Amino acid sequence: MTRFQKALGILLSLCFFTILTIVPEPVFTGKNVYRHLPLYRFLEKKSREIDQYGDQKTYEAIASENGKYLRQKAKEEQTSISEKEKKKNSKSKKKQKTKKQKTKKTEKKNTSRETISTAVPDPAIDLSPDLLADYDYLLGQFYIVDSNTETNPAQLNAQDFLKQDFKISKDTDTPQILIYHSHSQETFADSREGEEADTIVGVGDYLTQLLAENYGYQVVHLKEQFDMAGGELDRSAAYDYARDYLEPYLQENPDIQVIIDLHRDGVPEDRHLVTEINGKPTAQILFYNGLSYTTAKGSLEYLPNPYIQQNLAFSFQLEYQTAQYYPEFYRGIYLAGYRYNLHLRPRSILLEAGAQTNTVQEVKNAMEPFAYILNKVLQG
């Protein structure tokens, strides 16, 4: 017991005996009457507080430690809150950054789509069913017939062509569209020698990218050089070489439904096949169909094509969409006497994109509206 506690005890005793001599008996005969005295209650409370910790120094030490502990806990809590806020902000920033990156990536990826998906029908010619049913009108507006072949109203029937369904599903992981080049060495006005990107093959690369990334098709681009023999340019048997390669390839990939033989045309040097689409100089296009029929020999039995009518309908639907959305873009559908490997699939086309007088960029620009109209036909 400390001196303070001893002094306190003596003081309490003196007070108690003093009260006994002053207060009448009835007052203090009750049990624990001294507890009613304010002074005693105050002194008792203080005594308990001190006894709880043993002595004043111990109490002060504990109070000091408690203070340190509380300060430490407060600091830890503040640090924890701060860390949580940092993590929250970090996550928020990361989320915003990811969102920006995705947006940027999507914008980059869909640049071409944005520029061409806003196309609206604006035909320069009358596309009414009555006029399209007129064979002479149809022939004059859509076709160029080579002098070595001929056609007739039964073969060119716009109503039948537009009824045919060329829709394909995008829900597949197998190749759907095949792009190749019977004439892989075709170049343009500003092509750099030895640069594949500046040839028709480079144009095929861009078309492949558009169809795959912008429209979601599974596309195969073959770059075999069917017009090269022994390191020298030789186009005399290019279609035969291409057929020999493609037939087994298609057997291995039976889900391929669309075949595009991508070329550029050859025109007089003073002719420039260009228009403007979406503010870009754009090479014009020509579709090419083989009828396996010549005026000299009639039907070419050695070049059978069971898909002639489907080929004609497919190219007509492409031309019909082009006439609606890009009337200055197309040059027509050229009808020639031979087959040109169009017998490989019903949806086979030979596409002439620009000519040797066009720039590389003009021809690549042409792939954007072409991909757009091809998608429209394939999606019905």
Side-chain angles (χ1 to χ4, degrees):
M1 185 178 289
T2 64
R3 290 179 181 177
F4 175 77
Q5 288 174 315
K6 288 178 181 178
L8 182 61
I10 293 169
L11 178 62
L12 287 174
S13 299
L14 290 173
C15 289
F16 181 73
F17 287 113
T18 302
I19 291 168
L20 286 178
T21 59
I22 298 171
V23 179
E25 181 178 357
V27 177
F28 61 79
T29 55
K31 189 177 180 181
N32 295 329
V33 67
Y34 54 86
R35 290 186 178 276
H36 296 282
L37 301 175
L39 177 61
Y40 181 84
R41 291 200 302 270
F42 172 76
L43 294 173
E44 183 182 44
K45 183 179 178 183
K46 287 296 179 184
S47 178
R48 283 178 181 172
E49 287 177 355
I50 293 170
D51 287 341
Q52 185 179 355
Y53 300 107
D55 58 49
Q56 185 66 21
K57 288 184 179 179
T58 304
Y59 172 78
E60 290 173 356
I62 291 173
S64 175
E65 290 302 315
N66 283 345
K68 289 180 183 178
Y69 172 78
L70 291 173
R71 283 195 298 273
Q72 181 63 28
K73 293 300 289 182
K75 187 176 180 181
E76 287 175 3
E77 187 177 354
Q78 188 62 34
T79 302
S80 177
I81 293 171
S82 180
E83 288 299 321
K84 285 180 181 177
E85 287 296 322
K86 283 181 182 178
K87 285 182 181 179
K88 187 177 178 181
N89 292 336
S90 178
K91 283 183 181 179
S92 179
K93 287 179 181 178
K94 191 174 180 181
K95 196 173 181 181
Q96 289 176 357
K97 187 178 180 182
T98 304
K99 189 175 180 181
K100 284 181 182 178
Q101 286 174 340
K102 283 183 179 178
T103 303
K104 202 170 183 181
K105 188 176 179 182
T106 304
E107 287 173 353
K108 185 179 179 182
K109 183 177 177 181
N110 293 330
T111 298
S112 297
R113 181 184 289 184
E114 287 174 359
T115 59
I116 63 179
S117 63
T118 54
V120 293
D122 186 24
I125 61 172
D126 192 336
L127 297 174
S128 63
D130 289 342
L131 275 177
L132 292 179
D134 184 327
Y135 174 70
D136 291 329
Y137 180 82
L138 181 69
L139 199 64
Q141 295 296 336
F142 287 92
Y143 293 96
I144 304 165
V145 183
D146 191 272
S147 59
N148 79 336
T149 193
E150 60 185 19
T151 185
N152 55 68
Q155 189 170 53
L156 301 184
N157 187 314
Q159 185 178 11
D160 287 346
F161 289 165
L162 292 175
K163 283 181 180 177
Q164 295 197 37
D165 184 3
F166 291 110
K167 287 186 289 187
I168 66 173
S169 172
K170 297 180 184 180
D171 187 20
T172 180
D173 294 326
T174 55
Q176 301 172 285
I177 300 175
L178 185 148
I179 300 169
Y180 76 102
H181 313 273
S182 293
H183 300 160
S184 66
Q185 303 304 300
E186 291 174 333
T187 57
F188 304 98
D190 59 347
S191 294
R192 295 165 293 177
E193 188 174 354
E195 291 289 335
E196 183 182 82
D198 291 356
T199 68
I200 194 65
V201 175
V203 178
D205 281 335
Y206 187 48
L207 177 58
T208 300
Q209 178 187 337
L210 290 171
L211 292 173
E213 295 183 4
N214 286 18
Y215 297 101
Y217 293 104
Q218 301 296 324
V219 188
V220 175
H221 183 203
L222 300 180
K223 301 183 182 183
E224 278 67 22
Q225 300 177 337
F226 302 119
D227 54 349
M228 296 291 288
E232 297 293 329
L233 183 64
D234 181 5
R235 290 180 178 159
S236 61
Y239 288 100
D240 293 330
Y241 295 146
R243 184 189 65 249
D244 291 343
Y245 185 92
L246 291 171
E247 285 179 341
Y249 187 90
L250 291 170
Q251 287 179 358
E252 295 170 5
N253 298 275
D255 292 337
I256 291 175
Q257 300 180 64
V258 180
I259 300 179
I260 303 169
D261 186 6
L262 183 58
H263 293 249
R264 63 106 172 113
D265 206 352
V267 299
E269 291 298 324
D270 61 351
R271 190 176 180 193
H272 191 196
L273 307 173
V274 68
T275 186
E276 185 176 298
I277 296 177
N278 297 317
K280 300 177 183 179
T282 304
Q284 295 169 307
I285 61 172
L286 175 77
F287 296 108
Y288 210 95
N289 277 94
L291 301 180
S292 292
Y293 180 95
T294 65
T295 52
K297 298 180 180 180
S299 181
L300 302 180
E301 301 298 333
Y302 67 96
L303 293 175
N305 182 358
Y307 304 129
I308 286 178
Q309 288 306 113
Q310 288 98 320
N311 293 161
L312 287 169
F314 190 48
S315 61
F316 179 77
Q317 287 196 21
L318 289 167
E319 192 88 333
Y320 180 79
Q321 294 294 339
T322 310
Q324 290 191 78
Y325 290 93
Y326 307 106
E328 301 301 320
F329 182 44
Y330 71 101
R331 296 166 55 208
I333 301 170
Y334 196 89
L335 302 180
Y338 297 96
R339 187 174 61 178
Y340 310 101
N341 289 331
L342 299 175
H343 67 294
L344 296 172
R345 287 289 188 274
R347 300 177 185 82
S348 291
I349 57 170
L350 193 159
L351 174 63
E352 301 273 9
Q356 85 282 5
T357 54
N358 287 101
T359 66
V360 174
Q361 193 59 54
E362 287 170 350
V363 182
K364 287 186 177 180
N365 289 344
M367 295 301 98
E368 295 172 10
F370 171 70
Y372 177 75
I373 62 171
L374 177 61
N375 181 64
K376 286 191 72 67
V377 172
L378 295 180
Q379 295 307 303

